[in-house]
């Protein structure tokens, strides 16, 4: 569903996804695996897939001719379906109905932007807690990340710099500590505060 007016642009989406082919390798030395005599033998199993559903809503509000406010909110639910074989599920640490690793249940983005010869903006993103381990109750902490940028068109300084644009970008402005990339039973630290500057010349 979408709506676009002079003072508000709004969208909403509902989604439902049934993924049924989550393939993984099961070695012959596990209780659930094939008892092959040839070293290295094993088999691939279908772990039953993932079931996902959720709602996303977003809105843009012009505050002035050059300034706009944007926000987006996502509610998500992603669960493992399981293989249907108790031994395989136990060996792989799969419990049907548990949360999918690395997938947050809520995401929220807020941003404020201003265009023009001297522009800039700031955005904040919230990520809720996410499951990391299949076999233990290990969840990440929820966190906020704040980014900001400033742009300057050369025309604001001189006609000679009309085709030049300068930008200053700061990511993770508050230097928050958080876990970003997540795979089953492993997680990596997110990037610390980084600041970069660039100049673009068109000719």
């Amino acid at each position: 569903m979408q709506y676009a007016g002079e003072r508000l642009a709004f969208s909403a989406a509902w989604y439902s996804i049934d993924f049924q082919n989550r393939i993984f390798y099961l070695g012959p030395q596990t209780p659930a695996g094939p008892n092959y005599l040839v070293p290295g033998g094993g088999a691939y199993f279908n772990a039953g897939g993932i079931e996902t559903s959720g709602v996303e809503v977003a809105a843009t509000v012009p505050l002035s001719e050059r300034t706009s406010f944007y926000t987006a909110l996502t509610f998500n639910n992603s669960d493992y379906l399981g293989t249907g074989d108790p031994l395989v599920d136990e060996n792989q640490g799969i419990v049907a109905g548990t949360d999918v690793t690395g997938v947050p249940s809520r995401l929220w983005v807020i941003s404020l932007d201003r265009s023009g010869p001297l522009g800039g903006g700031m955005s904040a993103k919230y990520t809720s807690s996410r499951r990391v381990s299949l076999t233990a109750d290990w969840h990440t902490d929820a966190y906020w990340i704040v980014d900001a940028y400033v742009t300057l068109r050369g025309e604001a300084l001189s006609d000679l710099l009309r085709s030049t644009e300068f930008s200053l970008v700061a990511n993770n402005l508050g230097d928050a500590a958080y876990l970003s990339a997540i795979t089953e039973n492993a997680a990596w630290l997110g990037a610390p505060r980084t600041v970069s500057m660039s100049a673009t010349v068109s000719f």
Side-chain angles (χ1 to χ4, degrees), residues 134-165:
L134 287 172
T135 57
D137 193 19
W138 176 19
H139 289 74
T140 67
D141 293 332
Y143 65 91
W144 282 91
I145 293 294
V146 178
D147 302 325
Y149 72 94
V150 176
T151 60
L152 175 64
R153 296 178 188 168
E155 63 192 58
L157 301 175
S158 170
D159 288 341
L160 296 176
L161 299 175
R162 183 177 298 276
S163 299
T164 305
E165 182 174 287

Side-chain angles (χ1 to χ4, degrees), residues 35-183:
N35 188 19
Y36 293 146
L37 297 178
V38 179
Y44 288 90
F45 282 78
N46 189 336
I50 294 169
E51 188 176 59
T52 297
S53 61
V55 176
E56 296 178 337
V57 293
T60 301
V61 180
L63 301 179
S64 68
E65 184 178 352
R66 294 183 177 179
T67 307
S68 64
F69 170 80
Y70 171 82
T71 185
L73 181 62
T74 301
F75 295 94
N76 181 80
N77 181 59
S78 296
D79 297 327
Y80 290 113
L81 297 178
T83 66
D85 186 326
L87 284 177
V88 175
D89 285 352
E90 181 181 359
N91 179 264
Q92 292 298 312
I94 300 170
V95 179
T98 56
D99 297 337
V100 175
T101 58
V103 180
S105 60
R106 293 184 303 280
L107 290 169
W108 188 20
V109 176
I110 305 170
S111 68
L112 188 66
D113 296 277
R114 178 176 175 81
S115 61
L118 178 60
M122 180 175 291
S123 66
K125 178 182 178 181
Y126 169 79
T127 301
S128 67
S129 177
R130 294 160 294 162
R131 189 180 189 87
V132 179
S133 175
L134 287 172
T135 57
D137 193 19
W138 176 19
H139 289 74
T140 67
D141 293 332
Y143 65 91
W144 282 91
I145 293 294
V146 178
D147 302 325
Y149 72 94
V150 176
T151 60
L152 175 64
R153 296 178 188 168
E155 63 192 58
L157 301 175
S158 170
D159 288 341
L160 296 176
L161 299 175
R162 183 177 298 276
S163 299
T164 305
E165 182 174 287
F166 304 93
S167 63
L168 181 68
V169 179
N171 298 112
N172 192 6
L173 193 61
D175 201 20
Y178 65 99
L179 294 176
S180 57
I182 293 177
T183 60

